[in-house]
Amino acid sequence: IFLGLGIAEQLLGNFDKAIDSLEKAIGLDSTLMEPYNSLGITYRKIGNHRRAIECYKKALDARLKEVNKEVHRDKDCVEEHIEDGEKVLAILPPFLRKTKSLLKSDPSFAITLCNLGACFLALEEFEIARKHFMESIDFIPIGYNYTDPYRYLEEMDL
């Protein structure tokens, strides 16, 4: 409810209320990507790009943790064994492919990377911005029409 309310307040231009609601959403469940991303969008709209960057990074971390849990449950990706009396987790070759596949399964990761790049662009940190736009393109799901990172790169090259 707080996530939806925060997004609604943001769309209405009530940024202080949006921030309050989104922080409440995060307080209730800090493992979700969406409240962090929406909070980042809110800070970006009010021109606080540094704070937006922090939020976007937390959004990406939340998604990576979620994907990491799923990949670690896949016995084709990880293997537990005992070595010198201690439990060891071995990463198997499909680990990275499955991780990337899961990150590309919905557009949120690509969109958040692009949002992060837009903040660095606004701060005139061009190489970091370009890196994030390129990475965003790499994580766009196949068949999903998301042109923002391409547009930003084109603008940078003008």
Side-chain angles (χ1 to χ4, degrees), residues 79-135:
E79 179 180 88
E80 290 182 10
H81 62 275
I82 305 297
E83 191 173 297
D84 295 329
E86 297 206 20
K87 188 190 249 185
V88 175
L89 188 65
I91 303 299
L92 302 176
F95 184 90
L96 291 177
R97 278 191 310 275
K98 174 128 188 196
T99 300
K100 186 169 185 179
S101 173
L102 288 170
L103 291 172
K104 285 183 75 160
S105 67
D106 74 71
S108 62
F109 199 75
I111 291 168
T112 303
L113 284 166
C114 186
N115 290 343
L116 191 53
C119 286
F120 283 113
L121 183 59
L123 294 169
E124 298 183 355
E125 296 182 31
F126 300 114
E127 288 310 308
I128 297 171
R130 182 180 303 281
K131 174 189 158 292
H132 283 93
F133 295 139
M134 296 299 292
E135 193 172 5

Side-chain angles (χ1 to χ4, degrees), residues 34-68:
E34 294 82 2
Y36 288 114
N37 188 53
S38 295
L39 189 57
I41 291 168
T42 304
Y43 279 116
R44 192 168 123 212
K45 285 184 175 195
I46 61 175
N48 190 340
H49 299 288
R50 292 283 176 207
R51 183 72 175 108
I53 288 168
E54 292 173 21
C55 294
Y56 291 139
K57 286 181 177 182
K58 288 179 182 179
L60 294 172
D61 285 345
R63 180 69 177 129
L64 284 168
K65 285 178 185 175
E66 181 183 325
V67 165
N68 195 30

